[in-house]
């Protein structure tokens, strides 16, 4: 009897431990509900159902009272609901200078409705040849149209919205005619159209980075198929299409931040500066009551009902539900209606409301213009996941905040130290190298003296090799029409980049030098050594110029930057290899190689019949012409390399 009792007690204890482990796992489990089934890991009804995204938790029912007691005082003035937002016109009278600057800023025109003043592409019956077909851009019945024709396939689109105004303008619209059946989403859902307008060049070009980029032969052909991108998409007959409202308008428009807490959960959770809890049920009932099932109480609702609400938020159409199309004042300053109407001296930089609990480890709850809050204003959009180099740095732009957080400087540095949020950068970075250096030296004061700077950089003062950013923020990030600086501030001695034969700051400026030259200088100057086995594996030809090895890399991002580095340094000795870059299997690599070569040689490759978006067969003749006519005209390759 005693043994039986002992077994019962032990069994009960084990069950309690198991339940505790399961509960702990649930509390920490990231969840992503769908409308078709209950999300994995959600608790039973009557419990506190939630989704956790690192520092951010979305509570479906309500926030537990114990967490409310731990949180900062909520205050009496909220800034998270659509009704808390005043719109940019309310800022105009008191902040005239900022308003006028914003009116011309690319943020303002990141997304807009189609009007004669917003459409910048050539729709005057312009024609282009593309992938063996014909594309016509024209106007009809006061609308802007795009028609694709090849063989017996014909697609026609009407433009509804524009994206961008600085380098490229892309277009969002619906299909009017095509091979799909009439109930296909292409006919009634706005999506990004397959071609956009390159403003500087006044050319129509294929859209890129709407989803994952593929090599030639795998990239979707818009004449016969619409892109099947990964991510948050609408499914139709085992196919997927990119919908603007559920993919792009998260950052291209200004929504109330409460809406974004429901829509943009993972990115917010990754970068929010303090622990934040939001009650979904309370927020929906106060801000979007039309989404709430009539007469229902949160604890009576099934998981599927909450999942449906989440899906509705995800698909909000900005034209109906956003504060503004484009990025306006309150994207950063949050709901400022109380401020605009004189009830609050300064708008808060952090979300407040009865549906929100802010938990911080500091002694004070500062919701104002703190270092972390200011940076997070940028990080709400300039964050996310991109393909990465070996050291974790993104290979292409628009996630600058995520990259910045991978370095150590932003523990003190703010984005607005270098970027005025109210002023456009312009077509090119206009700040002088000396001013860029001053931004770095304001913290790294030990290098202010000329002797200290020369001892650190091993280059004369004001030489390109002495500039802080050239070594610590090199140009390895694919921008819109040029390679731009990474926002991850890291050392040029970074082992993983060098040992994997990816990009290093030394050879970006000295593309002609072999790896042993680089290793010798890094060891002599900074005492840095590298794993010999890794170097031998990654650099089989130790006498080869590093940049030529980059051009032959199996990583398309490395090849793209290599072509830029070679042309940026006017390294004409590499011309035979550079012309090879015009035949790269990735369309963006061909585009950037074209940009660099035209600038370096002061020619137009279209004069040779070349377009970077041509098919492989279409490129054969133009490439042969360029090899015949451009390479003999250069200086002797071996002599110039020496």
């Amino acid at each position: 009897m005693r043994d039986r009792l002992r077994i019962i007690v032990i069994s009960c204890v084990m069950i309690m431990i198991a339940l505790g482990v399961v509960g702990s796992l649930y509390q920490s489990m990231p969840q992503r509900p769908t409308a078709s089934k209950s999300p994995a890991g959600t608790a039973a009804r009557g419990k506190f159902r939630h989704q956790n995204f690192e520092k951010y938790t979305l509570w479906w029912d309500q926030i537990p009272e114990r967490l409310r007691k731990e949180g900062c005082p909520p205050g009496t003035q909220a800034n998270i609901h659509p009704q808390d937002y005043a719109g940019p016109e309310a800022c105009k009278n008191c902040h005239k200078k900022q308003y006028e600057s914003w009116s011309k800023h690319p943020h303002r025109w990141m997304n807009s409705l189609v009007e004669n003043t917003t459409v910048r592409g050539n729709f005057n019956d312009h024609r282009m040849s593309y992938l063996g077909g014909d594309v016509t851009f024209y106007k009809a019945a006061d609308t802007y149209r795009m028609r694709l024709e090849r063989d017996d396939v014909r697609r026609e689109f009407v433009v509804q919205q524009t994206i961008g105004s600085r380098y490229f303008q892309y277009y969002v619209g619906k299909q009017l005619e095509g091979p799909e059946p009439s109930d296909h989403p292409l006919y009634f859902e706005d999506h990004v159209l397959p071609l956009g307008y390159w403003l500087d060049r006044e050319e129509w070009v294929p859209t890129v980075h709407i989803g994952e980029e593929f090599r030639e032969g795998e990239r979707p052909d818009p004449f016969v198929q619409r892109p099947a991108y990964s991510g948050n998409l609408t499914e139709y007959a085992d196919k997927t299409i990119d919908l603007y409202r559920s993919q792009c308008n998260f950052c291209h428009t200004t929504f109330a931040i409460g809406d974004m807490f429901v829509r943009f959960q993972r990115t917010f959770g990754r970068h929010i500066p303090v622990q934040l809890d939001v009650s979904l049920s309370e927020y929906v009932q106060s801000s979007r009551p039309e989404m709430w099932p009539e007469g229902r109480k949160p604890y009576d609702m099934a998981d599927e009902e909450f999942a449906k609400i989440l899906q509705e938020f995800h698909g909000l159409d900005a034209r109906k539900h956003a504060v503004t199309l484009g990025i306006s004042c309150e994207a950063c300053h949050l709901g400022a209606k109380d401020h605009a109407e004189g009830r609050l001296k300064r708008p808060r930089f952090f979300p407040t409301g009865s549906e929100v609990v802010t938990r911080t480890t500091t002694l004070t709850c500062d919701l104002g213009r703190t270092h972390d809050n200011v940076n997070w204003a940028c990080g709400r959009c300039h964050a996310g996941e991109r393909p990465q180099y070996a050291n974790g740095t993104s290979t292409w732009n628009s996630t600058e905040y995520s990259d910045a957080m991978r370095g150590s400087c932003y523990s003190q540095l703010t984005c607005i130290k270098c970027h005025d949020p109210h002023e456009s950068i312009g077509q090119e970075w206009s700040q002088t190298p000396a001013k860029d250096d001053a931004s770095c030296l304001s913290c790294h004061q030990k290098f202010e003296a000329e002797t200290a700077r020369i001892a650190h950089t091993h280059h004369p003062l004001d030489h390109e090799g002495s500039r802080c950013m050239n070594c610590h923020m090199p140009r390895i990030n694919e921008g819109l029409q040029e390679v731009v600086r990474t926002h991850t501030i890291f050392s040029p001695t970074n082992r993983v980049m060098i040992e994997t034969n990816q990009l290093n700051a030394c050879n970006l400026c000295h593309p002609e030098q072999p790896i042993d030259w680089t290793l010798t200088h890094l060891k002599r100057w900074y005492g840095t050594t590298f794993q010999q086995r890794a170097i031998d594996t990654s650099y089989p030809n130790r006498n080869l110029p590093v940049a030529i090895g980059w051009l032959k890399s199996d990583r398309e991002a490395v090849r793209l930057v290599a072509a830029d580095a070679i042309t940026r340094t006017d390294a004409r000795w590499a011309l035979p290899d550079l012309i090879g870059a015009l035949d790269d299997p990735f369309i963006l690599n061909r585009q950037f190689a074209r940009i660099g070569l035209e600038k370096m040689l002061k020619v137009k490759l279209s004069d040779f019949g070349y377009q970077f978006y041509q098919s492989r067969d279409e490129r054969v003749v133009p490439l042969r012409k360029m090899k015949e006519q451009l390479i003999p005209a250069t200086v002797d390759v071996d002599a110039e390399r020496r």
Side-chain angles (χ1 to χ4, degrees), residues 300-524:
D300 295 332
M301 290 171 58
D303 291 349
E304 290 83 356
E305 292 178 282
F306 275 112
K308 182 181 179 182
I309 291 173
L310 294 174
Q311 289 284 26
E312 286 188 65
F313 268 95
H314 194 78
L316 288 178
D317 189 327
R319 291 169 297 184
K320 299 177 182 177
H321 299 287
V323 177
T324 62
L325 296 183
I327 301 159
S328 54
C329 314
E330 291 163 297
C332 301
H333 293 283
L334 306 183
K337 191 172 185 179
D338 282 329
H339 169 68
E341 295 179 354
R343 292 187 296 274
L344 186 66
K345 185 175 182 181
R346 292 179 180 274
R348 295 189 173 115
F349 265 77
F350 199 82
T352 59
S354 60
E355 305 92 337
V356 171
V357 172
T358 303
R359 291 181 284 149
T360 176
T361 56
T362 62
L363 296 177
T364 60
C365 296
D366 194 337
L367 305 176
R369 200 166 177 238
T370 67
H371 164 273
D372 288 344
N373 290 347
V374 167
N375 278 348
W376 186 51
C378 303
R380 291 196 282 272
C381 281
H382 290 271
E385 298 177 357
R386 293 284 183 266
Q388 296 179 350
Y389 293 113
N391 68 341
T393 300
S394 298
T395 62
W396 53 283
N397 74 338
S398 81
T399 59
E400 293 83 359
Y401 179 86
S402 296
D403 279 344
M405 294 301 109
R406 293 183 175 110
S408 59
C409 285
Y410 277 80
S411 61
Q412 301 295 320
L413 188 62
T414 62
C415 306
I416 60 175
K417 175 77 173 178
C418 300
H419 299 279
D420 184 335
H422 301 111
E423 294 286 344
S424 170
I425 293 174
Q427 293 300 98
E428 295 182 353
W429 183 248
S430 59
Q431 199 159 277
T432 65
K435 192 170 182 181
D436 288 338
D437 286 345
S439 296
C440 300
L441 294 171
S442 64
C443 286
H444 300 277
Q445 296 175 3
K446 65 179 181 179
F447 297 121
E448 279 189 332
E450 179 177 346
T451 53
R453 193 112 48 98
I454 292 174
H456 176 64
T457 67
H458 300 274
H459 287 80
L461 200 65
D462 296 334
H463 185 278
E464 286 296 298
S466 75
R467 300 299 184 190
C468 308
M469 292 185 184
N470 286 344
C471 292
H472 295 283
M473 295 179 65
R475 295 180 182 274
I476 61 173
N477 208 224
E478 173 210 317
L480 290 173
Q481 63 179 13
E482 68 171 339
V483 175
V484 296
R485 298 191 184 281
T486 176
H487 279 66
T488 299
I489 301 174
F490 67 100
S491 171
T493 61
N494 185 275
R495 283 184 170 82
V496 67
M497 292 291 272
I498 291 177
E499 290 177 354
T500 58
N501 196 1
Q502 294 194 16
L503 305 161
N504 72 77
C506 299
N507 290 110
L508 288 173
C509 285
H510 300 278
E512 77 286 355
Q513 296 294 347
I515 189 60
D516 285 339
W517 176 90
T518 308
L519 300 180
T520 298
H521 283 81
L522 292 178
K523 183 177 181 180
R524 183 190 306 158

Side-chain angles (χ1 to χ4, degrees), residues 3 22 41 297 315 405 425 455 552:
D3 291 340
V22 171
K297 300 293 184 183
M405 294 301 109
I425 293 174
K552 302 178 187 301

